[in-house]
C-alpha cells in the first residue's frame, strides 16, 4: 500500500513524467519525419511492403534474416502507414505501450515509483532514444524492452507474490518481445535474468522462481523453435560479415552506449551518485541489502554477464556494434534511475520537486539538441537532393546508377539485398522528383550534366579515376568526372556543378 507521503508526491511526479513523454513524442515525430532514410531502413520497408502474402514473406524473407521474424511481422502489420518517414511513427506507439507497462508496474509497487519516473526522464534525455526511435529498425523496441524488463524484474524481486494479473501480463509481454526481436537483445535479456534466477535458486525461493521463470521458458521455447529453422541462415549470412573482429570493437560498443546513458541527464547522474552512497550507508547500518541496492546489484551483474558472454561470442564471430547493444542502455538507465530514487526518498517533497524539475529542464534541452543532431545524420537524401537541385536547374540532366557500386552489399545474404539497392534509388528519385535512366541505357545529355549516383559506400571507396574508368568500361564515353561526396554516398558528374553543396 502506498503511504500518505508517497501519494502526495505522486502528483508532481506524474506531471513531470507526462511533460517528458509529450516532449519525447513530439521529438520522435519531428525527427522521424525530418530525417532521411539509410540502407537498412529501405531493407525493412522492402521486405514488409504491402502486396506480398504473409506466408510468402515469412518463408522467403523474414525467416531468412539474421533475427526472429517478430519485428518484420509488426512492420508488415503497420505498412499501411506509408513511406519510411511515416512508418517510423510506429515507434511513438511503441513508446506509449512501454510507458503504459511502466505505469502498471509502478502503480503496483510504490517503492519503484520514483525510479520509474526518473527512468522516463533518463530515457527521454538519451541521444540513443531519439536515434533508435527515428529509424525503421528494431533498435527502439530493444531499448524499450531492456528498460521495462529491468523495471518489471525489480518489481517481482521486491514483491514476488503481489502485482496481480497486470504485472504478470506486462512481464510476459516484455519477455516475449525481448526474446524475439533481435538476436543480441535475446541473448542480453537472457543473461539479465540469470542473476535473479540464480539467486532465487540459491535461496530456494519458490515464490520468486514461480514469478520469474514461466515467461522466459515460454518465450525462450518459441525463440529456440524459430532458431532451429533459422540457424542455417544465420550461419551462412554471417560467414562474411561487415562487423570488425576483436575486443576493441566490442569494447567500443559497450563504452559508447554506457557513456551516452551516463551523460544523458546530468541532474540524474549526480543524483545517482548521491543515492548510491546512501544505499551503501544503509547497507552498512542495517547489515543487509536495501531493496533498491539489491535490484541494482542484480541488474548490474546481469549487464556485466551479458556483456562478457557477448564479447566472447564476438571473438569467434563478430556480432557487436553499438546499435545492436542498445538493449543494454535500457537496463543501465534503470540502474541509474533506481539509485537516484534513493536520493528522492531521502529529501523532502519540495526538494524532490525541484530535483525533478531540474531533470525535466535538462530533458527538454537534450530533446531539442538530440533531435537537431539526429535529423541531419547521413542519409540517401543528401546525394538525392544534390541531384534534384541539378535537375531543377537543368531539366535535361541524366541520372545513372549501377549495381557495380553496391556489389558488396548486394552479394550479402539474405537474397533480398540484391533487390533493395536498386529499389531504394528509385524510391528516393520518386520522392525528390527526378528520373533515373534505365540500367541498360547509355543515354547522355549534350546540354546538361550527366550524373552517376552511388549511395551506401561503406566498405569499398572509389575515387574519381576509378569511377571514370569503370564508366568507360561500361560504355559511357566519359574522359573524367568531378566527384561530389555527401555523407557515405557520392555523385560523379561529367562537368563541374556550379551549385553543388
Amino acid at each position: 500500500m502506498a503511504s500518505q507521503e508517497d501519494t502526495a508526491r505522486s502528483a508532481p511526479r506524474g506531471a513531470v513524467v507526462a511533460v517528458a513523454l509529450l516532449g519525447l513524442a513530439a521529438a520522435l515525430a519531428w525527427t522521424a519525419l525530418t530525417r532521411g532514410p539509410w540502407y537498412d531502413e529501405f531493407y525493412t520497408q522492402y521486405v514488409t511492403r504491402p502486396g506480398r502474402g504473409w506466408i510468402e514473406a515469412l518463408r522467403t524473407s523474414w525467416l531468412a534474416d539474421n533475427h526472429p521474424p517478430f519485428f518484420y511481422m509488426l512492420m508488415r502489420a503497420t505498412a499501411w502507414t506509408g513511406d519510411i518517414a511515416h512508418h517510423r511513427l510506429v515507434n511513438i506507439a511503441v513508446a506509449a505501450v512501454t510507458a503504459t507497462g511502466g505505469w502498471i508496474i509502478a502503480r503496483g509497487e510504490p517503492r519503484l515509483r520514483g525510479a520509474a519516473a526518473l527512468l522516463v526522464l533518463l530515457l527521454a534525455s538519451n541521444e540513443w532514444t531519439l536515434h533508435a526511435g527515428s529509424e525503421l529498425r528494431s533498435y527502439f523496441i530493444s531499448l524499450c524492452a531492456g528498460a521495462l524488463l529491468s523495471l518489471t524484474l525489480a518489481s517481482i524481486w521486491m514483491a514476488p507474490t503481489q502485482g496481480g494479473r497486470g504485472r504478470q501480463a506486462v512481464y510476459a509481454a516484455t519477455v516475449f518481445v525481448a526474446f524475439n526481436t533481435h538476436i543480441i537483445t535475446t541473448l542480453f535479456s537472457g543473461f539479465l535474468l540469470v542473476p535473479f534466477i540464480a539467486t532465487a535458486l540459491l535461496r530456494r525461493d519458490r515464490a520468486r522462481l514461480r514469478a520469474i521463470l514461466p515467461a522466459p521458458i515460454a518465450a525462450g521455447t518459441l525463440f529456440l523453435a524459430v532458431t532451429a529453422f533459422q540457424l542455417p541462415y544465420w550461419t551462412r549470412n554471417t560467414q562474411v560479415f561487415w562487423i570488425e573482429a576483436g575486443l576493441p570493437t566490442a569494447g567500443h560498443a559497450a563504452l559508447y552506449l554506457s557513456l551516452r546513458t551516463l551523460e544523458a541527464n546530468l541532474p540524474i547522474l549526480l543524483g545517482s551518485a548521491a543515492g548510491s552512497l546512501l544505499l551503501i550507508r544503509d547497507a552498512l547500518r542495517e547489515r543487509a541489502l536495501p531493496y533498491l541496492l539489491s535490484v541494482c546489484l542484480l541488474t548490474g551483474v546481469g549487464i556485466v554477464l551479458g556483456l562478457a558472454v557477448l564479447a566472447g561470442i564476438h571473438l569467434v564471430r563478430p556480432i557487436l556494434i553499438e546499435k545492436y547493444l542498445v538493449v543494454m542502455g535500457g537496463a543501465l538507465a534503470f540502474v541509474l534511475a533506481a539509485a537516484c530514487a534513493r536520493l528522492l526518498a531521502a529529501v523532502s517533497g519540495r526538494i524532490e520537486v525541484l530535483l525533478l524539475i531540474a531533470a525535466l529542464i535538462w530533458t527538454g534541452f537534450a530533446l531539442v539538441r538530440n533531435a537537431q543532431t539526429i535529423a541531419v545524420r547521413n542519409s540517401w537524401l543528401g546525394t538525392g537532393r544534390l541531384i534534384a537541385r541539378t535537375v531543377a536547374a537543368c531539366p535535361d540532366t541524366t541520372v545513372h546508377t549501377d549495381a557495380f557500386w553496391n556489389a558488396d552489399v548486394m552479394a550479402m545474404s539474405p537474397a533480398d539485398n540484391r533487390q533493395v539497392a536498386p529499389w531504394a534509388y528509385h524510391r528516393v528519385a520518386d520522392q525528390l522528383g527526378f528520373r533515373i535512366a534505365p540500367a541498360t541505357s547509355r543515354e547522355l545529355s549534350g546540354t546538361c550534366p550527366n550524373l552517376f549516383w552511388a549511395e551506401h559506400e561503406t566498405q569499398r571507396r572509389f575515387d574519381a579515376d576509378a569511377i571514370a574508368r569503370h564508366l568507360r568500361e561500361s560504355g559511357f564515353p566519359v574522359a573524367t568526372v568531378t566527384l561530389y561526396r555527401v555523407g557515405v554516398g557520392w555523385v560523379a558528374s561529367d562537368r563541374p556543378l556550379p551549385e553543388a553543396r
Side-chain angles (χ1 to χ4, degrees):
M1 296 292 293
S3 66
Q4 185 174 0
E5 181 184 0
D6 188 79
T7 302
R9 295 187 183 209
S10 294
R13 285 178 189 166
V16 167
V17 168
V19 172
L21 288 174
L22 288 174
L24 175 61
L28 281 171
W30 183 83
T31 311
L33 295 173
T34 305
R35 181 180 177 186
W38 58 291
Y39 179 82
D40 286 15
E41 293 184 285
F42 285 116
Y43 184 94
T44 300
Q45 194 80 334
Y46 181 79
V47 300
T48 60
R49 65 194 186 279
R52 300 178 70 199
W54 280 70
I55 300 301
E56 177 196 357
L58 178 66
R59 180 177 56 83
T60 62
S61 294
W62 304 342
L63 288 175
D65 199 74
N66 295 341
H67 308 293
F70 166 73
F71 170 71
Y72 290 131
M73 290 179 175
L74 177 61
M75 292 301 101
R76 176 64 179 84
T78 55
W80 54 267
T81 52
D83 60 17
I84 288 175
H86 290 90
H87 205 168
R88 290 167 173 163
L89 297 178
V90 171
N91 284 326
I92 297 178
V94 172
V97 170
T98 304
T100 302
W103 175 78
I104 292 171
I105 298 302
R107 183 187 62 174
E109 180 48 78
R111 292 172 293 179
L112 283 175
R113 289 177 183 174
L118 291 165
L119 181 58
V120 170
L121 291 168
L122 195 53
L123 290 175
S125 306
N126 197 325
E127 176 188 341
W128 267 96
T129 301
L130 275 188
H131 189 154
S134 61
E135 293 183 347
L136 196 64
R137 295 296 286 169
S138 66
Y139 311 123
F140 186 71
I141 296 176
S142 293
L143 175 67
C144 292
L148 189 55
L149 178 60
S150 301
L151 180 67
T152 310
L153 275 173
S155 172
I156 292 172
W157 193 257
M158 291 161 61
T161 60
Q162 299 176 16
R165 293 182 179 178
R167 187 179 73 181
Q168 293 174 5
V170 171
Y171 179 58
T174 304
V175 171
F176 169 80
V177 172
F179 276 34
N180 291 282
T181 296
H182 189 285
I183 184 64
I184 301 300
T185 304
T186 303
L187 294 172
F188 187 90
S189 298
F191 288 110
L192 200 62
L193 286 160
V194 167
F196 292 89
I197 295 172
T199 303
L201 284 171
L202 289 173
R203 293 179 177 181
R204 298 181 181 179
D205 191 333
R206 294 182 179 179
R208 286 190 171 100
L209 289 173
R210 282 195 298 267
I212 293 174
L213 278 177
I217 289 175
T221 299
L222 176 61
F223 170 74
L224 290 175
V226 174
T227 300
F229 183 88
Q230 286 190 290
L231 188 59
Y233 291 101
W234 294 349
T235 303
R236 184 174 67 244
N237 293 349
T238 57
Q239 281 180 346
V240 179
F241 212 37
W242 56 271
I243 297 177
E244 293 184 11
L247 278 179
T249 303
H252 171 77
L255 179 63
Y256 190 86
L257 256 299
S258 299
L259 290 176
R260 297 295 81 78
T261 304
L262 290 171
E263 72 183 15
N265 196 301
L266 183 59
I268 295 178
L269 177 62
L270 295 176
S272 299
S276 298
L277 293 175
L278 291 174
L279 287 171
I280 294 171
R281 186 201 65 180
D282 294 343
L284 293 175
R285 281 182 176 181
E286 300 170 11
R287 297 185 179 180
L289 289 179
Y291 62 88
L292 276 179
L293 182 56
S294 64
V295 296
C296 285
L297 289 175
L298 289 170
T299 306
V301 171
I303 292 172
V304 172
L305 181 61
L307 284 177
V309 174
L310 289 173
I313 297 173
H314 181 87
L315 291 177
V316 179
R317 179 152 296 189
I319 57 170
L320 286 184
I321 56 173
E322 56 271 16
K323 285 183 179 181
Y324 293 177
L325 202 53
V326 70
V327 60
M328 186 193 78
L332 182 57
F334 168 75
V335 174
L336 293 174
C340 187
R342 176 61 184 89
L343 176 64
L344 295 187
V347 299
S348 66
R350 186 172 299 177
I351 298 300
E352 176 182 330
V353 170
L354 293 176
L355 293 174
L356 288 173
I357 290 175
L360 179 62
I361 292 172
W362 190 282
T363 300
F365 282 111
L367 281 170
V368 172
R369 181 186 67 248
N370 294 337
Q372 292 173 339
T373 300
I374 293 163
V376 296
R377 287 185 66 87
N378 292 333
S379 77
W380 286 48
L381 293 186
T383 50
R385 285 169 177 153
L386 171 58
I387 295 170
R389 290 196 300 270
T390 304
V391 172
C394 195
D396 197 35
T397 296
T398 64
V399 182
H400 293 273
T401 62
D402 189 333
F404 177 78
W405 312 124
N406 299 111
D408 56 335
V409 175
M410 294 172 69
M412 292 177 64
S413 297
D416 287 303
N417 281 298
R418 299 186 185 95
Q419 309 300 326
V420 172
W423 184 78
Y425 284 115
H426 285 277
R427 289 295 294 265
V428 174
D430 291 344
Q431 177 182 342
L432 297 179
F434 60 86
R435 169 184 170 273
I436 298 175
T440 57
S441 171
R442 295 299 178 264
E443 168 192 359
L444 292 177
S445 171
T447 57
C448 289
N450 296 288
L451 306 182
F452 304 91
W453 180 25
E455 260 296 347
H456 201 63
E457 186 188 61
T458 56
Q459 300 297 312
R460 303 183 300 168
R461 191 170 181 85
F462 300 96
D463 59 23
D465 291 339
I467 293 168
R469 183 168 58 251
H470 175 75
L471 293 175
R472 289 192 297 271
E473 293 171 353
S474 301
F476 290 100
V478 175
T480 61
V481 295
T482 303
L483 185 61
Y484 301 92
R485 294 192 179 277
V486 184
V488 293
W490 50 260
V491 177
S493 174
D494 65 347
R495 68 198 72 182
L497 303 178
E499 295 188 10
R501 58 183 184 274

